[in-house]
Amino acid sequence: MRDQYQEQLDGLASRLAGMCGEVAAALDKATRALLDADLRLAEEVITEDVNVDTIRAEAEEQAFALLALQAPVATDLRIVVSAIHGAGDIERMGDLALHIAQAARRRHPQPVLPDEVAPYFAEMGRVGVQLATKAAAVIRSRDLDAAAELETDDDAMDDLHRHMFTVLMDRHWNHGVAAAVDVTLLARFYERYADHAVAVARRIVYVVTGQMPGPLTV
């Protein structure tokens, strides 16, 4: 019975790690759609978002079943509760990738980004995918050092996000208000995506140590 219970807990973690893989792929596609005005990739992200929603629903159903039937305590209880919250964070990452893809579709066939900011968004996409991939690894390994690395990686995203405001406030910006609004919103989507990945890592720290790291507003 205990072996079966442990398999269920492991399966729950596997679902969450799989979700991280899904949203990493979604952000990669959405970023390429954004940079290349690729309507096909944008449509793929939009269509496939339902997969992440489905996995979240299945993960939550499994977690609530464990709460009801197994009455977990201590570490096991932290795993189940963190899984419920973590599934929400990961689904939100998928939603943010979706928003990026929708922006690419909305402006197609015109590019969304001025050439001068495109390299920064390419880097934000790279950092975001890396964060989601690392979050999946942390869920599987419960490695506290690896979880802490996500905080450092998130600093890079925050720096890129802040730099966008410097670019927008530059008196040489000549791309108009609509482009400025697009850049502002898109940079925020990437920054929040990273924040949710860090929140997932922090929930793993809570699972292992019993203490949640400092608050993160997402």
Side-chain angles (χ1 to χ4, degrees):
M1 182 67 72
R2 178 66 191 180
D3 288 344
Q4 183 180 17
Y5 175 45
Q6 188 59 52
E7 286 178 6
Q8 290 174 320
L9 290 175
D10 292 343
L12 186 56
S14 181
R15 282 186 190 274
L16 296 184
M19 281 182 73
C20 285
E22 292 274 351
V23 300
L27 186 66
D28 177 62
K29 289 181 182 180
T31 300
R32 287 188 283 134
L34 190 68
L35 295 172
D36 300 333
D38 189 322
L39 183 60
R40 180 186 61 82
L41 278 177
E43 293 288 4
E44 281 186 21
V45 175
I46 293 164
T47 301
E48 292 169 1
D49 181 64
V50 67
N51 296 339
V52 176
D53 298 339
T54 299
I55 298 171
R56 178 191 178 174
E58 291 172 349
E60 287 186 340
E61 182 178 352
Q62 184 178 2
F64 286 124
L66 285 168
L67 285 174
L69 300 177
Q70 302 292 347
V73 296
T75 300
D76 291 349
L77 178 60
R78 295 199 298 270
I79 291 171
V80 176
V81 172
S82 294
I84 294 170
H85 289 291
D89 284 310
I90 302 166
E91 183 191 31
R92 185 58 183 148
M93 292 164 72
D95 290 340
L96 291 161
L98 170 67
H99 295 336
I100 294 165
Q102 288 172 330
R105 182 175 68 175
R106 184 171 61 251
R107 297 297 187 192
H108 188 270
Q110 300 301 317
V112 180
L113 302 171
D115 289 343
E116 67 196 75
V117 301
Y120 298 107
F121 280 89
E123 180 64 7
M124 282 192 279
R126 186 194 68 78
V127 172
V129 170
Q130 177 178 282
L131 281 162
T133 302
K134 284 189 174 182
V138 168
I139 290 170
R140 291 190 174 99
S141 67
R142 300 186 196 172
D143 184 326
L144 296 183
D145 290 335
E149 284 182 12
L150 270 78
E151 299 271 3
T152 302
D153 294 341
D154 182 51
D155 290 341
M157 184 71 85
D158 290 338
D159 288 343
L160 288 162
H161 182 233
R162 283 191 293 268
H163 183 70
M164 284 300 97
F165 288 101
T166 302
V167 172
L168 292 170
M169 295 302 292
D170 191 298
R171 61 187 177 87
H172 297 297
W173 177 266
N174 59 1
H175 302 290
V177 173
V181 170
D182 282 339
V183 168
T184 300
L185 287 175
L186 288 164
R188 180 60 171 158
F189 293 155
Y190 281 96
E191 189 261 346
R192 286 179 63 82
Y193 182 102
D195 283 348
H196 283 284
V198 172
V200 171
R202 289 183 173 189
R203 297 190 197 286
I204 299 303
V205 173
Y206 169 69
V207 166
V208 175
T209 68
Q211 297 189 0
M212 181 70 79
L216 179 68
T217 301
V218 292

